[in-house]
Structures are given as structure tokens and as C-alpha cells.
Amino acid sequence: MSQRHSPQRSGKPAKGRQESDGKRVTLPRALSKLGYCSRTQAEALIAAGRVAVDGREITDPTAWIDLDRARIAVDGAAIFAEKKLYFMLNKPRGLVTTRDDPEGRPTVYDCLLDIDARHLAPVGRLDKASEGLLLFTNDTVLAQALLDPISHVGKIYHVQVNTIMTQELLERMERGIVNDGELLTASAARLLRSGERNGWIEVELKEGRNRQIRRMLEVLSVECLRLVRVSFGDIALGDLAKGAVRPLTEAEVLGLRRHAGMEKTGRNRTKAGRNAAP
């Protein structure tokens, strides 16, 4: 007969010990850090009695374990740390950034059919109408650090608009624009090129608010015709073909860790935040 876990026996971390130290973590967090599944999926597995630690069935999703020592199994199969994977996609317009879409629309995972993407998740989002650089990884610690507002990782977008952007309009984007009670600010905005009726601007964001660039332009009575993310930190979209995927180089991953403010051990210094599509 399987034994049920006692919260008192598992204990809480000692006072002053942080969950982010990489050793004492909750069981759902452990399964997420090992790349097995999301924390929400882990909680469901635990509640169903499918997870065991050191041979004992655990049904308490708040249980804490020592990630460096505990032997975790799901349905009797041992779970080991998954190799960390890092990819970049040149997202085409018209794809939604989700694994499964209830409306049956094409998703970014349709571009990942040639790689094992079971545990890969996008780092942030690009909305359906947006294009360009989208990162994927199973390294949840790095992903959360990159999305943390404290890390201020810059993302650059090239935006086609239906007018000739004046310096005054660009400076208003840098000063900040209020929309729906939110102050939306571009860390930099400059003119790239202009035609007779429209032009392209370059916008850098160090925060991630839902549809941020589009909302800023709407307040300025400017229509966004195209929006392409061309860089994330030091990683540039370059000449990667639309819809194509490639793995990140070791130098690119190290650069992301540096931008995220992570220690050399890969542990995050800060708590994770949220990011939304521009």
C-alpha cells in the first residue's frame, strides 16, 4: 500500500532559505525545473497519485523536496534532468503563440515539427499579427529571468506605419503614453526610413505590456501596418528565413544569461515576472 505524504514530515525550508537556491523546492516546481511538465500539469499528476518521491507516493502538491537528492518517479518511471534546449524561430504573421488553440488556428508549434518540442515553451509572446524573433526553451529558470521586469532585457522591433513619423511623435513614445490607465514607454524610438505615404520606425522596449507598441500608436492616431521583432537582448533575427528554426549558439545562451542577471551557476537572482506581446 502506498504511503501518503505528510506535510509536517516534508517540512518547509529553513527561515532565510529561498526556493530559488536550486535545492529545496516544491514538488511541482521540481518537475518543472527538470523539464518534465509545467507546474500546473505537475499539480494534477500529484493529485492523481501518479508521483512518488524516494519510493513513496506523494499527493500533496505543497510538499517540499531536496532536488539534488530526491528520487522522483511518475507512473513508476524515474525522472531525470532534461538537457537544456534553446531555439529561435522567425515567426510568420498569422500564427498564435500557444501550443493548442481552441479555435483551431495555426500555432507557432506548427513550425517546430522537425524538432522534439514536447517540453519547449516560448519566452514571452508575439501576437497573431506580429512577426519575427521568438525564443523557445525548456530552461524555465532562464525564461522566467528574461521576462522579469527587473532584468530590463531589451527587445527591438521594426514597425511599418501608415504615416511619416515626426520627431515629436517619436519623442512622445519615449516620454510615455497613457492608455487604459497604463503608462506605456519605449526606451528608444527612431525613424528608419520613409516613403511618400508611410515609413518604418525602430522601437526598443524593456518592459512587456499587452500589445504595447500597437496601443501606443493608436493613441497617436497612427496605424501599425507591420510589426517585426528583430532582436532579443544580443540575439538578432538576422537572415533566418520566415518560419525557420535554429538552435542558439553557446555564446548566445551565455549572453541571455548575462542579460537576465543570472549567476554563472545558472541560478536566478530575481523572482520571475510576466511578459506580454507588443
Side-chain angles (χ1 to χ4, degrees):
M1 181 181 296
S2 62
Q3 299 180 5
R4 294 188 178 272
H5 179 77
S6 168
Q8 288 78 16
R9 186 169 182 176
S10 67
K12 296 288 185 182
K15 185 176 181 180
R17 181 186 288 272
Q18 300 294 319
E19 179 182 349
S20 61
D21 65 5
K23 295 183 179 180
R24 292 286 293 182
V25 297
T26 62
L27 186 51
R29 172 74 167 160
L31 287 168
S32 174
K33 286 174 72 70
L34 291 172
Y36 183 79
C37 61
S38 71
R39 275 182 271 187
T40 300
Q41 292 169 328
E43 290 171 358
L45 291 172
I46 295 165
R50 297 171 58 186
V51 181
V53 177
D54 296 331
R56 295 188 305 114
E57 178 187 311
I58 305 296
T59 58
D60 178 8
T62 66
W64 288 75
I65 67 166
D66 187 328
L67 186 58
D68 288 349
R69 299 182 179 182
R71 292 176 289 110
I72 305 174
V74 177
D75 295 333
I79 304 302
F80 301 98
E82 189 174 54
K83 179 183 178 181
K84 295 297 185 286
L85 301 173
Y86 310 88
F87 291 90
M88 61 181 289
L89 163 70
N90 184 351
K91 174 190 175 296
R93 188 172 185 171
L95 303 184
V96 292
T97 307
T98 185
R99 185 178 294 275
D100 300 300
D101 182 64
E103 300 178 29
R105 294 173 296 181
T107 80
V108 291
Y109 284 89
D110 294 335
C111 298
L112 308 182
L113 299 179
D114 292 335
I115 62 176
D116 184 356
R118 287 174 297 173
H119 305 311
L120 292 178
V123 181
R125 293 176 179 271
L126 286 173
D127 63 33
K128 181 182 176 182
S130 299
E131 316 165 44
L133 179 57
L134 186 62
L135 300 179
F136 287 83
T137 184
N138 59 354
D139 187 339
T140 58
V141 175
L142 176 59
Q144 290 167 358
L146 289 171
L147 302 183
D148 192 327
I150 296 176
S151 63
H152 296 296
V153 180
K155 293 170 280 292
I156 296 178
Y157 302 82
H158 287 179
V159 187
Q160 185 182 27
V161 294
N162 70 334
T163 187
I164 306 302
M165 291 289 284
T166 65
Q167 188 61 32
E168 179 184 356
L169 292 176
L170 295 170
E171 290 175 357
R172 283 190 61 186
M173 295 182 72
E174 294 178 341
R175 290 197 302 268
I177 295 172
V178 176
N179 177 259
D180 291 336
E182 284 188 294
L183 179 62
L184 309 175
T185 305
S187 58
R190 69 182 186 91
L191 183 67
L192 286 177
R193 58 186 180 273
S194 294
E196 293 182 1
R197 298 182 180 180
N198 57 54
W200 285 84
I201 61 173
E202 182 176 87
V203 180
E204 181 178 8
L205 300 181
K206 291 188 178 179
E207 57 183 357
R209 308 291 180 87
N210 185 40
R211 299 183 66 252
Q212 181 169 340
I213 294 176
R214 297 181 188 276
R215 290 165 61 194
M216 296 173 75
L217 292 174
E218 286 170 3
V219 173
L220 299 176
S221 299
V222 175
E223 182 182 355
C224 176
L225 302 178
R226 285 186 66 190
L227 191 153
V228 185
R229 182 192 283 165
V230 297
S231 73
F232 194 124
D234 290 337
I235 298 178
L237 181 62
D239 58 0
L240 185 67
K242 195 177 297 293
V245 181
R246 74 162 176 86
L248 298 188
T249 66
E250 182 177 353
E252 288 172 331
V253 175
L254 290 175
L256 287 176
R257 291 186 179 280
R258 183 179 67 255
H259 277 291
M262 296 176 65
E263 302 285 359
K264 292 182 180 179
T265 58
R267 294 173 185 170
N268 191 6
R269 293 177 180 171
T270 59
K271 294 183 179 180
R274 291 180 178 268
N275 189 40

Short mmCIF file of all heavy atoms in Angstrom, two decimals, residues 218-260:
data_model
loop_
_atom_site.label_atom_id
_atom_site.label_comp_id
_atom_site.label_asym_id
_atom_site.label_seq_id
_atom_site.Cartn_x
_atom_site.Cartn_y
_atom_site.Cartn_z
N GLU A 218 -1.88 53.69 -31.52
CA GLU A 218 -3.31 54.02 -31.61
C GLU A 218 -3.60 55.35 -30.93
O GLU A 218 -4.39 56.16 -31.45
CB GLU A 218 -4.13 52.90 -30.97
CG GLU A 218 -4.21 51.63 -31.81
CD GLU A 218 -4.83 50.47 -31.06
OE1 GLU A 218 -5.26 50.67 -29.90
OE2 GLU A 218 -4.89 49.36 -31.62
N VAL A 219 -2.97 55.59 -29.77
CA VAL A 219 -3.17 56.86 -29.07
C VAL A 219 -2.68 58.01 -29.94
O VAL A 219 -3.26 59.12 -29.93
CB VAL A 219 -2.46 56.85 -27.71
CG1 VAL A 219 -2.52 58.24 -27.06
CG2 VAL A 219 -3.07 55.81 -26.79
N LEU A 220 -1.64 57.77 -30.72
CA LEU A 220 -1.08 58.82 -31.60
C LEU A 220 -1.81 58.89 -32.94
O LEU A 220 -1.39 59.64 -33.83
CB LEU A 220 0.40 58.54 -31.85
CG LEU A 220 1.31 58.53 -30.62
CD1 LEU A 220 2.74 58.13 -31.01
CD2 LEU A 220 1.30 59.88 -29.93
N SER A 221 -2.90 58.10 -33.08
CA SER A 221 -3.68 58.05 -34.33
C SER A 221 -2.83 57.56 -35.50
O SER A 221 -2.98 58.02 -36.64
CB SER A 221 -4.29 59.42 -34.65
OG SER A 221 -5.16 59.82 -33.61
N VAL A 222 -1.93 56.62 -35.20
CA VAL A 222 -1.06 56.03 -36.22
C VAL A 222 -1.40 54.55 -36.34
O VAL A 222 -1.54 53.85 -35.33
CB VAL A 222 0.43 56.20 -35.84
CG1 VAL A 222 1.32 55.47 -36.85
CG2 VAL A 222 0.79 57.67 -35.76
N GLU A 223 -1.55 54.07 -37.57
CA GLU A 223 -1.89 52.67 -37.80
C GLU A 223 -0.61 51.84 -37.97
O GLU A 223 0.30 52.22 -38.71
CB GLU A 223 -2.76 52.52 -39.04
CG GLU A 223 -3.18 51.08 -39.31
CD GLU A 223 -4.00 50.93 -40.57
OE1 GLU A 223 -4.33 51.97 -41.19
OE2 GLU A 223 -4.29 49.78 -40.96
N CYS A 224 -0.58 50.73 -37.28
CA CYS A 224 0.55 49.80 -37.40
C CYS A 224 0.26 48.85 -38.57
O CYS A 224 -0.70 48.08 -38.52
CB CYS A 224 0.74 49.02 -36.10
SG CYS A 224 2.02 47.75 -36.18
N LEU A 225 1.08 48.89 -39.60
CA LEU A 225 0.89 48.03 -40.77
C LEU A 225 1.62 46.70 -40.62
O LEU A 225 1.11 45.66 -41.03
CB LEU A 225 1.38 48.75 -42.03
CG LEU A 225 0.70 50.10 -42.32
CD1 LEU A 225 1.31 50.73 -43.57
CD2 LEU A 225 -0.80 49.92 -42.48
N ARG A 226 2.83 46.74 -40.08
CA ARG A 226 3.60 45.51 -39.81
C ARG A 226 4.41 45.74 -38.55
O ARG A 226 4.85 46.86 -38.26
CB ARG A 226 4.55 45.17 -40.96
CG ARG A 226 3.89 44.58 -42.19
CD ARG A 226 4.95 44.15 -43.21
NE ARG A 226 5.77 43.04 -42.72
CZ ARG A 226 6.88 42.60 -43.34
NH1 ARG A 226 7.32 43.21 -44.45
NH2 ARG A 226 7.57 41.59 -42.85
N LEU A 227 4.63 44.64 -37.80
CA LEU A 227 5.45 44.72 -36.59
C LEU A 227 6.33 43.49 -36.54
O LEU A 227 5.82 42.36 -36.50
CB LEU A 227 4.56 44.82 -35.35
CG LEU A 227 5.25 45.18 -34.03
CD1 LEU A 227 4.28 45.87 -33.07
CD2 LEU A 227 5.84 43.95 -33.34
N VAL A 228 7.64 43.71 -36.58
CA VAL A 228 8.60 42.61 -36.64
C VAL A 228 9.61 42.75 -35.50
O VAL A 228 10.31 43.77 -35.40
CB VAL A 228 9.38 42.61 -37.98
CG1 VAL A 228 10.28 41.38 -38.06
CG2 VAL A 228 8.41 42.65 -39.16
N ARG A 229 9.69 41.75 -34.64
CA ARG A 229 10.74 41.76 -33.61
C ARG A 229 12.04 41.31 -34.26
O ARG A 229 12.12 40.22 -34.84
CB ARG A 229 10.40 40.83 -32.45
CG ARG A 229 11.45 40.86 -31.34
CD ARG A 229 11.25 39.73 -30.35
NE ARG A 229 10.15 40.01 -29.45
CZ ARG A 229 9.57 39.08 -28.69
NH1 ARG A 229 9.95 37.81 -28.78
NH2 ARG A 229 8.57 39.41 -27.87
N VAL A 230 13.09 42.14 -34.16
CA VAL A 230 14.35 41.84 -34.84
C VAL A 230 15.46 41.47 -33.88
O VAL A 230 16.51 40.97 -34.32
CB VAL A 230 14.79 43.03 -35.72
CG1 VAL A 230 13.77 43.27 -36.83
CG2 VAL A 230 15.01 44.29 -34.90
N SER A 231 15.28 41.68 -32.58
CA SER A 231 16.30 41.25 -31.63
C SER A 231 15.71 41.06 -30.25
O SER A 231 14.69 41.67 -29.90
CB SER A 231 17.47 42.25 -31.57
OG SER A 231 17.09 43.43 -30.90
N PHE A 232 16.38 40.22 -29.48
CA PHE A 232 16.03 39.93 -28.08
C PHE A 232 17.35 39.89 -27.34
O PHE A 232 18.13 38.97 -27.50
CB PHE A 232 15.31 38.58 -27.99
CG PHE A 232 14.62 38.32 -26.68
CD1 PHE A 232 13.26 38.02 -26.65
CD2 PHE A 232 15.31 38.36 -25.48
CE1 PHE A 232 12.61 37.77 -25.45
CE2 PHE A 232 14.68 38.11 -24.28
CZ PHE A 232 13.33 37.81 -24.26
N GLY A 233 17.63 40.93 -26.53
CA GLY A 233 18.96 41.04 -25.95
C GLY A 233 19.98 41.21 -27.06
O GLY A 233 19.82 42.04 -27.96
N ASP A 234 21.04 40.39 -27.05
CA ASP A 234 22.07 40.45 -28.09
C ASP A 234 21.75 39.56 -29.29
O ASP A 234 22.51 39.54 -30.27
CB ASP A 234 23.42 40.02 -27.52
CG ASP A 234 23.99 41.05 -26.54
OD1 ASP A 234 23.60 42.23 -26.65
OD2 ASP A 234 24.78 40.66 -25.67
N ILE A 235 20.67 38.80 -29.22
CA ILE A 235 20.35 37.86 -30.30
C ILE A 235 19.57 38.58 -31.39
O ILE A 235 18.51 39.16 -31.13
CB ILE A 235 19.55 36.66 -29.76
CG1 ILE A 235 20.38 35.91 -28.72
CG2 ILE A 235 19.16 35.73 -30.90
CD1 ILE A 235 19.66 34.75 -28.10
N ALA A 236 20.08 38.53 -32.60
CA ALA A 236 19.45 39.20 -33.74
C ALA A 236 18.77 38.19 -34.64
O ALA A 236 19.24 37.06 -34.81
CB ALA A 236 20.48 40.00 -34.52
N LEU A 237 17.66 38.61 -35.24
CA LEU A 237 16.93 37.74 -36.16
C LEU A 237 17.80 37.41 -37.37
O LEU A 237 17.78 36.28 -37.87
CB LEU A 237 15.64 38.44 -36.60
CG LEU A 237 14.73 37.69 -37.55
CD1 LEU A 237 14.22 36.41 -36.90
CD2 LEU A 237 13.56 38.58 -37.96
N GLY A 238 18.56 38.39 -37.83
CA GLY A 238 19.47 38.16 -38.95
C GLY A 238 18.74 37.73 -40.21
O GLY A 238 17.64 38.20 -40.50
N ASP A 239 19.33 36.77 -40.95
CA ASP A 239 18.75 36.33 -42.21
C ASP A 239 17.99 35.02 -42.07
O ASP A 239 17.76 34.31 -43.06
CB ASP A 239 19.83 36.20 -43.28
CG ASP A 239 20.94 35.22 -42.87
OD1 ASP A 239 20.85 34.65 -41.76
OD2 ASP A 239 21.89 35.04 -43.66
N LEU A 240 17.58 34.66 -40.85
CA LEU A 240 16.80 33.44 -40.66
C LEU A 240 15.50 33.55 -41.45
O LEU A 240 14.76 34.52 -41.33
CB LEU A 240 16.50 33.24 -39.17
CG LEU A 240 15.78 31.94 -38.79
CD1 LEU A 240 16.69 30.73 -39.05
CD2 LEU A 240 15.37 31.97 -37.31
N ALA A 241 15.23 32.55 -42.27
CA ALA A 241 14.05 32.59 -43.14
C ALA A 241 12.76 32.56 -42.33
O ALA A 241 12.71 32.00 -41.22
CB ALA A 241 14.09 31.40 -44.10
N LYS A 242 11.72 33.14 -42.88
CA LYS A 242 10.43 33.16 -42.22
C LYS A 242 9.93 31.73 -42.01
O LYS A 242 9.93 30.92 -42.93
CB LYS A 242 9.42 33.97 -43.04
CG LYS A 242 8.16 34.35 -42.28
CD LYS A 242 7.24 35.21 -43.12
CE LYS A 242 7.88 36.53 -43.49
NZ LYS A 242 8.09 37.41 -42.32
N GLY A 243 9.55 31.42 -40.78
CA GLY A 243 9.07 30.09 -40.45
C GLY A 243 10.18 29.11 -40.09
O GLY A 243 9.90 27.96 -39.70
N ALA A 244 11.45 29.54 -40.24
CA ALA A 244 12.58 28.66 -39.96
C ALA A 244 12.97 28.71 -38.48
O ALA A 244 12.72 29.69 -37.79
CB ALA A 244 13.77 29.04 -40.82
N VAL A 245 13.61 27.63 -38.02
CA VAL A 245 14.04 27.49 -36.63
C VAL A 245 15.51 27.11 -36.62
O VAL A 245 15.97 26.35 -37.49
CB VAL A 245 13.24 26.38 -35.91
CG1 VAL A 245 13.67 26.25 -34.45
CG2 VAL A 245 11.75 26.66 -35.98
N ARG A 246 16.25 27.63 -35.66
CA ARG A 246 17.64 27.19 -35.48
C ARG A 246 17.98 27.18 -34.00
O ARG A 246 17.41 27.96 -33.21
CB ARG A 246 18.62 28.08 -36.24
CG ARG A 246 18.86 29.46 -35.64
CD ARG A 246 20.15 30.06 -36.19
NE ARG A 246 20.40 31.42 -35.74
CZ ARG A 246 21.02 31.73 -34.60
NH1 ARG A 246 21.38 30.76 -33.76
NH2 ARG A 246 21.24 32.99 -34.27
N PRO A 247 18.91 26.31 -33.57
CA PRO A 247 19.34 26.32 -32.17
C PRO A 247 20.21 27.54 -31.88
O PRO A 247 20.92 28.03 -32.78
CB PRO A 247 20.13 25.02 -32.03
CG PRO A 247 20.61 24.72 -33.42
CD PRO A 247 19.54 25.22 -34.35
N LEU A 248 20.16 28.01 -30.66
CA LEU A 248 21.04 29.10 -30.26
C LEU A 248 22.44 28.56 -30.05
O LEU A 248 22.64 27.40 -29.66
CB LEU A 248 20.55 29.75 -28.97
CG LEU A 248 19.17 30.41 -28.98
CD1 LEU A 248 18.94 31.17 -27.67
CD2 LEU A 248 19.00 31.34 -30.16
N THR A 249 23.43 29.39 -30.28
CA THR A 249 24.81 29.01 -30.01
C THR A 249 25.09 29.13 -28.51
O THR A 249 24.33 29.78 -27.77
CB THR A 249 25.78 29.92 -30.77
OG1 THR A 249 25.67 31.26 -30.25
CG2 THR A 249 25.47 29.93 -32.26
N GLU A 250 26.17 28.52 -28.07
CA GLU A 250 26.54 28.60 -26.65
C GLU A 250 26.78 30.06 -26.25
O GLU A 250 26.38 30.49 -25.16
CB GLU A 250 27.80 27.77 -26.40
CG GLU A 250 28.24 27.76 -24.93
CD GLU A 250 29.44 26.88 -24.70
OE1 GLU A 250 29.87 26.17 -25.64
OE2 GLU A 250 29.96 26.89 -23.56
N ALA A 251 27.40 30.83 -27.14
CA ALA A 251 27.66 32.24 -26.84
C ALA A 251 26.36 33.01 -26.70
O ALA A 251 26.24 33.90 -25.84
CB ALA A 251 28.53 32.86 -27.95
N GLU A 252 25.37 32.70 -27.53
CA GLU A 252 24.07 33.38 -27.43
C GLU A 252 23.37 33.05 -26.12
O GLU A 252 22.77 33.94 -25.49
CB GLU A 252 23.20 32.99 -28.63
CG GLU A 252 23.66 33.62 -29.94
CD GLU A 252 22.91 33.09 -31.14
OE1 GLU A 252 22.46 31.92 -31.09
OE2 GLU A 252 22.78 33.82 -32.14
N VAL A 253 23.45 31.80 -25.69
CA VAL A 253 22.82 31.42 -24.42
C VAL A 253 23.52 32.13 -23.26
O VAL A 253 22.86 32.64 -22.34
CB VAL A 253 22.86 29.89 -24.23
CG1 VAL A 253 22.32 29.51 -22.85
CG2 VAL A 253 22.05 29.20 -25.32
N LEU A 254 24.84 32.17 -23.28
CA LEU A 254 25.58 32.86 -22.23
C LEU A 254 25.22 34.35 -22.21
O LEU A 254 25.10 34.96 -21.14
CB LEU A 254 27.08 32.68 -22.43
CG LEU A 254 27.63 31.28 -22.19
CD1 LEU A 254 29.11 31.20 -22.55
CD2 LEU A 254 27.43 30.86 -20.73
N GLY A 255 25.01 34.93 -23.39
CA GLY A 255 24.61 36.33 -23.47
C GLY A 255 23.25 36.56 -22.85
O GLY A 255 23.03 37.55 -22.14
N LEU A 256 22.32 35.63 -23.07
CA LEU A 256 21.00 35.75 -22.46
C LEU A 256 21.09 35.66 -20.94
O LEU A 256 20.40 36.40 -20.22
CB LEU A 256 20.07 34.66 -23.00
CG LEU A 256 19.58 34.82 -24.44
CD1 LEU A 256 18.76 33.60 -24.86
CD2 LEU A 256 18.75 36.09 -24.60
N ARG A 257 21.92 34.74 -20.46
CA ARG A 257 22.09 34.61 -19.00
C ARG A 257 22.66 35.91 -18.41
O ARG A 257 22.24 36.34 -17.34
CB ARG A 257 23.01 33.44 -18.68
CG ARG A 257 22.42 32.08 -18.98
CD ARG A 257 23.32 30.96 -18.50
NE ARG A 257 22.74 29.67 -18.78
CZ ARG A 257 21.80 29.09 -18.04
NH1 ARG A 257 21.33 29.72 -16.98
NH2 ARG A 257 21.32 27.91 -18.36
N ARG A 258 23.59 36.51 -19.12
CA ARG A 258 24.17 37.75 -18.62
C ARG A 258 23.12 38.86 -18.59
O ARG A 258 23.01 39.59 -17.60
CB ARG A 258 25.34 38.16 -19.53
CG ARG A 258 26.07 39.42 -19.04
CD ARG A 258 27.24 39.77 -19.94
NE ARG A 258 26.81 40.17 -21.27
CZ ARG A 258 26.91 39.41 -22.35
NH1 ARG A 258 27.44 38.21 -22.28
NH2 ARG A 258 26.48 39.85 -23.53
N HIS A 259 22.34 38.97 -19.64
CA HIS A 259 21.29 39.99 -19.68
C HIS A 259 20.25 39.75 -18.59
O HIS A 259 19.67 40.70 -18.06
CB HIS A 259 20.60 40.00 -21.05
CG HIS A 259 21.34 40.80 -22.08
ND1 HIS A 259 21.45 42.17 -22.03
CD2 HIS A 259 22.00 40.41 -23.20
CE1 HIS A 259 22.15 42.59 -23.07
NE2 HIS A 259 22.50 41.55 -23.79
N ALA A 260 19.99 38.48 -18.29
CA ALA A 260 18.98 38.15 -17.28
C ALA A 260 19.48 38.35 -15.86
O ALA A 260 18.72 38.20 -14.91
CB ALA A 260 18.50 36.72 -17.48
#
